[in-house]
Each structure stands twice: as structure tokens, then as C-alpha cells.
Amino acid sequence: MKYVDVFRDAELAHQLARHIHQQADPGRHYRLMEFCGGHTHAVFRYGLPALLPDNVELVHGPGCPVCVLPVVRLEQALELSRLPEVILCSYGDMLRVPAGKGQSLLKARADGADIRMLYSPLEALTLAQQHPERQVVFFAIGFETTTPPTAVLIQRADEMGISNLSVLCNHVLTPAAMHAILTPREGEATAIDGFIGPAHVSTVIGSEAYAPFPRQFGKPVVIAGFEPLDLLQAISMLVGQLNRHEARVENQFSRAVTPDGNPKARVLVERMFERRSSFEWRGLGEVPASALKIRPEYARYDAEQRFELSAPRAREHPACECPAVLRGQKRPDQCRLFGTPCTPDNPLGACMVSSEGACAAWYRYNRGR
Ligand code: SF4
């Protein structure tokens, strides 16, 4: 833990917190959104809200891949899983997400569907080779961090001439979601003064990807690492910019993030995927150019082309406040289902399912405070 412990030093954390107290103008309120679900968990795990002044508020964003996936896309995966020739595979978190009528991929598996949990998309290649008589479908979700591995899967399948594999692509784009958050809906105020930019995503897309937000919206972005000192320093940098009426992109996580990210990964993603004209996000609704689909040159690996999929009606729990939570308009504990009956063991909405979901983080670390 040599290279991690230095970013968890308690004395330095208190020094940074004291500095933020000195910086924060008592005459104003600072609402800072940590976009990434990993940051949300770190914020609670290290008790950072207790170290901050009352007028520096952390708002939880939509950076949790399973939380933002609309139920319609999950219903399509369920539909595929019911085809006898299909082996459907995805990441573990996805299996527990509730769809309509108490359904989930986990329940479908208990009912006999062939649904497998993967740690890496490349495991789907092995499945396809082991079961040449079946159709292996990878239910791909996630932001820019998980897109390159899906691109590698398609590239490898193409190189190996594997024809019984396809991808149900649901990869989404972080800057488009940030743009949607900063574009208020009718009757809603823009809730955010600045962003704590995501760590993993930024290693791929680079810090330059956030340049439009200061320019277009006048909002600062500070990319941060996952450790408590990273986050406290990023908060201090944001408060400093806001006090000086500045709006810039700053990179606190310079030990991992560069201005142009990972060009090799970006080239591969660009080769395999193109932007959808629009995509429906849970919480954010339809967001233009905010998701990827497989390019026509690789359409043979596109499950949407290979199978005839219907567009089922979404049936989320009517009282679930995930949409407002994901837009930073409500805290998880302001949902009347929070804690009773919605818990990590009995999730009624996607934000309670994933280890990166805001409701799950609030339940685990903040309940009863
Ligand atoms: Fe949805 Fe449960 Fe969170 Fe309420 S507590 S917003 S029902 S996930």
C-alpha cells in the first residue's frame, strides 16, 4: 500500500480540510458534483462531508453505468436471454438491476435462461468458441472506461473469424451527460457550480475533453483521483476557482491523466463505434449524440442488427427517484422508498444496485446520520 497510503494521510487531510474552511466564503453556497460513482463511494467511505464546511456541498452525479441504463435496454437483454440459442453475458452488477414486474437478469437465470457473468469481455470469445452451436451476446454497458475492452472484443472476434458472437452495445459518453446536467429542464435550476471530473474515464478521454464546460457554461472542472487527499485537493481547487470567478479545467490527477488521454484506446474505439444520434438515459432522458453504436463495417457483430428486438415499454417503480438523484436534484434519502423497502438486498431502483450507485453508497455509509 506504499503508493496509496500517502494519499490517505489523516494529518494532511485535516490540513486540507482546514484550508477549505478558510477558503469557503460564508456568504455563498458551493454545490460541487462528483460525476463518478467511484468518487461518490470514496466521499462517503472516508467521511469527507463531515470534514467540509456546511456551505460546501457534494452532489452525486450519474457516473454509475448500471444506474443510467434505461429499463428499455434491460428489457431487450431479457428478451434476448429468452431465446433458446442465446447465451447472454454481462458484468455482475448488471444482473441484479430490476426491470419491470420484479424481473432481472438474475431472476431470468433462475428461471432457466442461460445468462453468464463476466469479468472481462474477452471471456465471451472463449464462450463462443466453446459453444459454436449457440449465439453468444455480450450485453455491453459503461462509460469510456469500459468501451475499449468491448472494442478489443469485436476486433479479436473479427481477427479470429468468430461468427456466433455479437454485442448489445450501450456504451455512453461522459461529456454528453455533463452537458445534459448543465442544461436545466423547465422548472429546474442548474444545480451545479462545478464538477469533480472522473478519474478512470479521464485516463481514456484526457483532460482536454472537458474544455467546453468552462467555455460554454462558465463551470470549472477539476479531475480528481480516488483517494481522500485527491478529493479534498480537488474540492479546494474548485472552491478557489469559484472564489476568483474563474472557470478552467484543472487536473488534480496528473499522475494518471494526460491532456489527450489514451490515444491508442481512442483510435480503436473510433474504428469500431460511431455516435448514435440520440440515446435515452435513465434520469437524463433523451440526450443527443451521447452513446455509441457499432459501425456498419462491423454490423455482423451488432446484436441489434442480428436479432429482431422490440422496443418494450419501460416499467420502473413509479415512486423511485433515481432520475432526480442522477441529475443532482435530490439526495437518496429524500426518496420515500430509501431504506424501507429499497435496500441493497432488495433494490427497487438501479441507484441501489450497483456498488457505484449513489443510493447504495448513501445506504452503506450514511444511513442514520
Ligand atoms: Fe430508486 Fe431506491 Fe434510490 Fe429510491 S432509494 S431513488 S427507489 S434506488
Side-chain angles (χ1 to χ4, degrees), residues 28-287:
R28 67 167 296 178
H29 196 84
Y30 302 81
R31 295 194 90 224
L32 311 177
M33 175 177 273
E34 82 275 358
F35 182 90
C36 164
H39 279 153
T40 302
H41 272 257
V43 160
F44 286 123
R45 181 175 177 202
Y46 296 110
L48 300 192
L51 293 176
L52 298 176
D54 289 343
N55 60 336
V56 177
E57 184 186 358
L58 297 178
V59 181
H60 320 306
C64 152
V66 310
C67 304
V68 296
L69 188 77
V71 174
V72 168
R73 304 291 294 186
L74 175 56
E75 296 275 4
Q76 288 179 333
L78 280 161
E79 187 182 325
L80 279 173
S81 77
R82 289 184 202 109
L83 300 176
E85 71 271 27
V86 165
I87 301 174
L88 187 92
C89 37
S90 193
Y91 297 116
D93 273 356
M94 201 58 238
L95 303 198
R96 297 179 59 234
V97 177
K101 294 185 178 163
Q103 267 299 318
S104 68
L105 291 172
L106 209 57
K107 288 196 175 118
R109 185 164 79 171
D111 291 340
D114 195 346
I115 297 173
R116 318 275 180 110
M117 187 185 90
L118 302 184
Y119 290 101
S120 156
L122 290 182
E123 291 171 49
L125 274 181
T126 312
L127 276 174
Q129 285 175 306
Q130 287 170 343
H131 302 279
E133 75 293 357
R134 310 278 302 276
Q135 287 289 328
V136 175
V137 181
F138 177 56
F139 184 26
I141 61 154
F143 291 87
E144 290 89 339
T145 328
T146 52
T147 312
T150 306
V152 172
L153 171 67
I154 297 170
Q155 184 189 41
R156 294 282 287 277
D158 191 44
E159 287 166 358
M160 294 163 73
I162 290 179
S163 59
N164 63 325
L165 182 139
S166 58
V167 172
L168 182 58
C169 180
N170 297 281
H171 287 299
V172 288
L173 302 169
T174 301
M178 290 169 68
H179 193 282
I181 288 165
L182 291 177
T183 308
R185 295 172 169 204
E186 212 178 308
E188 274 183 0
T190 303
I192 310 301
D193 293 314
F195 282 106
I196 297 173
H200 290 148
V201 161
S202 303
T203 62
V204 177
I205 67 175
S207 57
E208 280 299 314
Y210 305 102
F213 301 107
R215 220 175 26 234
Q216 196 178 339
F217 295 97
K219 304 291 182 187
V221 179
V222 177
I223 299 157
F226 285 112
E227 298 303 326
L229 295 191
D230 291 323
L231 283 159
L232 287 167
Q233 189 180 16
I235 292 164
S236 170
M237 290 160 82
L238 280 168
V239 170
Q241 282 201 47
L242 290 166
N243 285 350
R244 295 189 298 273
H245 305 286
E246 290 175 4
R248 292 185 287 117
V249 177
E250 289 187 286
N251 182 10
Q252 183 280 334
F253 199 32
S254 57
R255 63 188 186 277
V257 172
T258 59
D260 61 348
N262 182 337
K264 210 169 160 184
R266 287 167 52 196
V267 165
L268 183 62
V269 167
E270 187 64 31
R271 193 183 330 149
M272 299 294 166
F273 300 102
E274 62 185 14
R275 283 185 186 226
R276 295 176 190 270
S277 57
S278 182
F279 191 76
E280 189 202 337
W281 292 56
R282 185 182 284 208
L284 302 180
E286 287 287 337
V287 182

Side-chain angles (χ1 to χ4, degrees), residues 320-322 325 332 335 337-338 342 348-352 359:
C320 172
E321 296 275 15
C322 277
V325 169
C335 169
L337 303 178
F338 179 82
C342 184
L348 298 179
C351 301
M352 191 58 94
C359 296

